[in-house]
């Protein structure tokens, strides 16, 4: 005989059973760097008892890939300094079952399980999951060129690859290096190797280095590199590598042959999604995993975060692939919140990035001129030169600010900054203004801080905005 | 006999007459610093032929009052360096009739004219105006205390007063100084005088210096001052001055007597509106001139800009008096545009300010805790300590960020920052977010720039915003 009481108990039993099912099958995270470990940590904070297993292919967790050039240059003394939290810390303090040197080789969506190869074993095992987070990151673009697999050619994306370069420098004592590709990593590594005393050349297909800037701004960075002695070969492409005894001995371009002892690839990264090819999981046009704003993939219960996943660009409205630590950390927090039963959305990116190249700080956000044109938007630009401090204050140095805005609406579309110390962080004002959908006029009206050690009375960003108002 | 044609001609004649009247009577500007000269320059750019007369009481135009402490300390070599444009430049290059050492002693609203005392003359003359801009600035608050008029007591607001202090230091070689009041100017002067080798004491009525910060943040600044040897007497008020031979010899407080050779008043400023007392022109509760958002006063054709005028606070919605160069420059641009026949509005302030005190950068924007309480707003606060750079990057130093938000709406209300080099300019992100009406959650989602030389991967402002989200 059923009583209301009995029914209620049954329901409770069902709930307990459902929960125990959830808690039996762990959250599985593939990838133990920024996105994966941010998510795992968030789940742990929200759900202290929930089993979490992280499979990380390398020996390291939660390290600063952005710090690798400074470790290579010697500015940062040890690779350990780049590790925010070690696998041991996660295991002991956070009760997260982090398994390093474990390679996930397959994802079985139907069976809700992943296939894993443990270190030193030929055999693989299947690990079931309750929910799955894919945080496999990105891989350096490796050109399919003759000799491309020779020793002495390094891509840089993992701490292990940074350690490998460091070791190569210490053991092989190379005297010359060629950087192939002039993006952030290529340029930061060029500077690092100059600091280590190497002769450094850089080959870049485009007209100027740093293609995330417009060429007029990129030219300032090219000049900075030449100043510290980097030989730039612009509008030139690598076509192959010469080798001797299996080791790289020269980079061959479409114009010349550059003898070298070491090659660093700085051709950008590509989302690491090989694993998902057979799963039917949707990828975007960028090649990265398509996610909704809660960072769920096209498969319910499977999430993606960090360098392997897309983001929505808040200015263009398009899906983009931006492989940066800031995005990965935010992705991880959002995905972790949702996996833990919360409800968080990732608001998107505006494409902000910053780098220090030699004496210069370089920053960008929003859209470039060519991106605006590709969207068919009628844009105007304004570029101004100002000072980082009041002109009379010691240490005042040059800063160039470029702003892009949309004719008609007056809406700000993007900004780029190159300047000496104190210049670059101003990009955050532009990023915040872009996020708020501000016009150039709105930026002129902002109540930004001023004192002689910090700025001219009109902040350079506002001086550029004033010029942009006229140009619009 | 009247014909329509005739009437039309008459009307044209009237228009011509009205215009010629406009162009005959000059724009008169009272005050030749930031607001006045920004406006005059803007009018000149828009209306090349329009007569503009500027009466400036001192010998200088367009100087950086904010730079005075650095001139006094010796960091900036000459007072001339603080002058952006001299009276001669305005006269010769801009055809602006700048008359320095001319004191406006009366404003005749009915007669549309001002009474002026020329230098070295007892007689005064009346100057008619087409339109009038009041840019008389602010005066240092001078306490009405026994001995307050003695030699050796300086208020600082004009370049002339800065030069006077500099000369006093050179000639009189004072060994001890007392600063009365712990606002920006007082603190910057305390540091300047320590640099000049003086023994410096500071008397402040409140619990901590820098009342524009909440006391918990002000305490960090108090500590920084003590570190460089400034003797702080907090919760203590000056009650008078002892003098010897007409020169100040001690500051008397409600607790002690502090022997001194020099006193700097740092009690803030008050709008310089004495001139308008008899005119019937409306002043706000702050004592500054009430203006509409086009910066017109209660009298048509009379405008006010800079330290003598009010602004609307974009967070509180209240009229405020904020005497800062940034505001004065923007006021000048808006008033100048409107006087020149354009249509510009001043969007208001959020109360952003920054200062460098010893090793520390100090910044604030928006509302303080006590201001939120006074408005009856239910606010939460979050204070975090982080680093200015990635923890492993050389030169990473401490930064403390405090954010205030409104419970319920989640809206950001204010922020304060104290930290080492690279800390303070982050306040501009908070100021921009306040302007856009962002919530703490919105700030967490901002795509701010990160690279190891510039920031931890979560910018300290966002770390504070994350904490604030929890506190709200």
């Amino acid at each position: 005989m059923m009583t209301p009481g009995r029914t209620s108990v049954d329901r409770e039993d069902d709930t307990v059973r459902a929960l125990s099912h959830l808690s039996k099958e762990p959250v599985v995270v593939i990838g133990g760097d920024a996105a994966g470990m941010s998510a795992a940590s968030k789940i742990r904070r929200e759900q202290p008892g929930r089993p979490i297993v992280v499979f990380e292919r390398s020996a390291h967790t939660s390290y600063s890939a952005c710090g690798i050039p400074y470790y290579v240059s010697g500015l940062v003394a040890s690779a350990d300094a780049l590790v925010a939290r070690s696998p041991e810390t996660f295991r002991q303090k956070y009760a997260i079952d982090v398994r390093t040197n474990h390679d996930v080789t397959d994802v079985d969506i139907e069976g809700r399980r992943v296939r894993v190869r443990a270190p030193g074993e030929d055999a693989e095992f299947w690990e079931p999951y309750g929910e799955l987070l894919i945080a496999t990151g990105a891989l350096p673009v490796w050109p399919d060129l003759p000799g491309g697999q020779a020793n002495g050619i390094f891509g840089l994306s993992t701490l292990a690859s940074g350690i490998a370069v460091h070791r190569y420098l210490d053991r092989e004592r190379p005297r010359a290096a060629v950087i192939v590709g002039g993006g952030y990593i290529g340029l930061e590594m060029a500077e690092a190797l100059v600091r280590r005393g190497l002769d450094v050349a850089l080959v870049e297909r485009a007209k100027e280095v740093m293609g995330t800037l417009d060429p007029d701004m990129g030219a300032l960075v090219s000049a900075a590199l030449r100043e510290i002695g980097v030989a730039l070969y612009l509008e030139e492409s690598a076509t192959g590598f010469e080798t001797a005894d299996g080791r790289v001995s020269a980079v061959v371009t479409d114009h010349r042959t550059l003898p070298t002892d070491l090659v660093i690839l700085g051709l950008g990264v590509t989302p690491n999604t090989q694993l998902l090819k057979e799963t039917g999981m949707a990828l975007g046009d960028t090649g990265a995993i398509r996610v909704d704003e809660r960072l769920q993939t096209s498969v319910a219960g499977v999430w993606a975060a960090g360098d392997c996943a897309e983001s929505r660009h808040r200015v263009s409205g398009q899906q983009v692939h931006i492989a940066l630590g800031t995005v990965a950390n935010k992705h991880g927090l959002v995905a972790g919140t949702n996996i833990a039963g919360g409800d968080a959305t990732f608001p998107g990116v505006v494409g902000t990035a910053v780098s220090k190249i030699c004496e210069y700080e370089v920053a960008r956000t929003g859209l470039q001129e060519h991106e605006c044109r590709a969207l068919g938007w009628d844009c105007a630009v304004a570029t101004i030169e100002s000072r980082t401090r009041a002109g009379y204050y010691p240490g005042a140095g040059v800063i160039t600010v470029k702003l892009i805005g949309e004719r008609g609406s007056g809406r700000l579309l993007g900004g780029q900054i190159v300047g000496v110390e104190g210049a670059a962080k101003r990009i955050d004002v532009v990023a915040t203004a872009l996020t708020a959908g501000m016009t150039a006029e709105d930026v002129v009206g902002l109540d930004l801080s001023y004192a002689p050690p910090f700025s001219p009375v009109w902040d350079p960003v506002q001086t550029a905005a004033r010029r942009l108002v006229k140009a619009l």
Side-chain angles (χ1 to χ4, degrees), chain A residues 202-211 213-223 226 232-236:
Chain A
L202 190 146
V203 178
E204 164 61 46
R205 201 167 45 178
K207 207 180 146 203
E208 303 290 350
V209 298
M210 199 161 279
L213 301 182
D214 292 336
D216 55 334
M217 297 295 281
L220 303 175
V221 185
S222 297
R226 287 193 188 99
L232 291 190
Y233 299 99
L234 302 174
E235 299 185 274
E236 203 163 320

Side-chain angles (χ1 to χ4, degrees), chain A residues 13-217:
Chain A
D13 281 353
D14 286 350
T15 311
V16 168
R17 224 168 290 138
L19 283 174
S20 73
H21 171 81
L22 255 186
S23 63
K24 252 197 301 202
E25 308 298 2
V27 176
V28 168
V29 178
I30 315 177
D33 199 8
M37 296 319 300
S38 288
S41 303
K42 178 64 179 171
I43 298 165
R44 174 55 64 244
R45 285 197 297 275
E46 299 297 324
Q47 301 184 314
R50 192 163 181 190
I52 307 170
V53 180
V54 178
F55 295 113
E56 163 57 39
R57 196 158 58 163
S58 80
H60 310 102
T61 52
S62 282
Y63 55 87
S64 169
C66 306
I68 292 172
Y70 310 106
Y71 162 61
V72 171
S73 74
L75 211 56
V76 173
S78 83
D80 286 345
L82 303 185
V83 177
R85 285 187 193 129
S86 69
E88 292 69 37
T89 302
F90 282 113
R91 283 192 285 261
Q92 285 159 23
K93 286 185 61 180
Y94 294 80
I96 295 170
D97 183 6
V98 176
R99 305 197 209 159
T100 50
N101 301 307
H102 278 65
D103 202 8
V104 174
T105 57
D106 202 0
V107 178
D108 174 9
I109 298 286
E110 287 286 304
R112 296 179 81 85
R113 56 184 191 159
V114 297
R115 191 165 58 188
V116 186
R117 187 185 297 125
E121 288 175 34
D122 280 343
E124 298 183 322
F125 64 90
W126 286 97
E127 177 82 24
Y129 61 78
E131 294 192 71
L132 177 66
L133 174 63
I134 302 165
T136 46
L139 298 172
V141 171
W142 211 287
D144 186 18
L145 295 176
Q149 301 304 318
N151 290 330
I153 304 180
F154 295 88
L156 278 174
S157 65
T158 60
L159 186 52
S161 59
I163 293 171
V165 171
H166 200 283
R167 193 171 294 153
Y168 189 85
L169 287 166
D170 289 347
R171 288 192 188 163
E172 308 291 331
R173 305 258 166 213
R175 292 170 52 194
V178 175
I179 315 286
V180 179
Y184 292 104
I185 292 174
L187 301 192
E188 288 169 0
M189 283 302 297
E191 185 184 356
L193 295 175
V194 168
R195 275 180 183 265
R196 290 281 299 241
L198 278 76
D199 288 329
V200 179
L202 190 146
V203 178
E204 164 61 46
R205 201 167 45 178
K207 207 180 146 203
E208 303 290 350
V209 298
M210 199 161 279
T212 53
L213 301 182
D214 292 336
D216 55 334
M217 297 295 281

Side-chain angles (χ1 to χ4, degrees), chain A residues 270-358:
Chain A
T270 186
N272 181 16
T273 56
Q274 188 61 39
L275 188 63
L276 309 170
K277 282 279 153 63
E278 309 295 310
T279 61
M281 189 175 295
L283 301 184
D285 294 337
T286 65
I289 302 167
R290 187 179 294 164
V291 287
D292 64 18
E293 61 180 2
R294 299 181 73 239
L295 300 186
Q296 194 161 219
T297 67
S298 59
V299 178
V302 180
W303 310 76
D307 293 358
C308 62
E310 285 190 333
S311 294
R312 190 180 61 87
H313 198 294
R314 292 169 87 146
V315 180
S316 70
Q318 296 180 323
Q319 294 302 116
V320 292
H321 175 239
I322 291 182
L324 288 176
T326 45
V327 177
N329 272 277
K330 287 187 195 103
H331 271 190
L333 190 62
V334 168
T337 302
N338 292 327
I339 292 170
D343 187 18
T345 58
F346 179 68
V349 299
V350 292
T352 313
V354 65
S355 182
K356 187 168 182 300
I357 307 292
C358 319

Side-chain angles (χ1 to χ4, degrees), chain A residues 395-413:
Chain A
V398 73
I399 172 173
T400 304
V401 180
K402 176 175 187 170
L403 292 178
I404 305 175
E406 185 183 34
R407 282 187 219 278
S409 71
R411 182 172 65 122
L412 200 64
L413 297 177

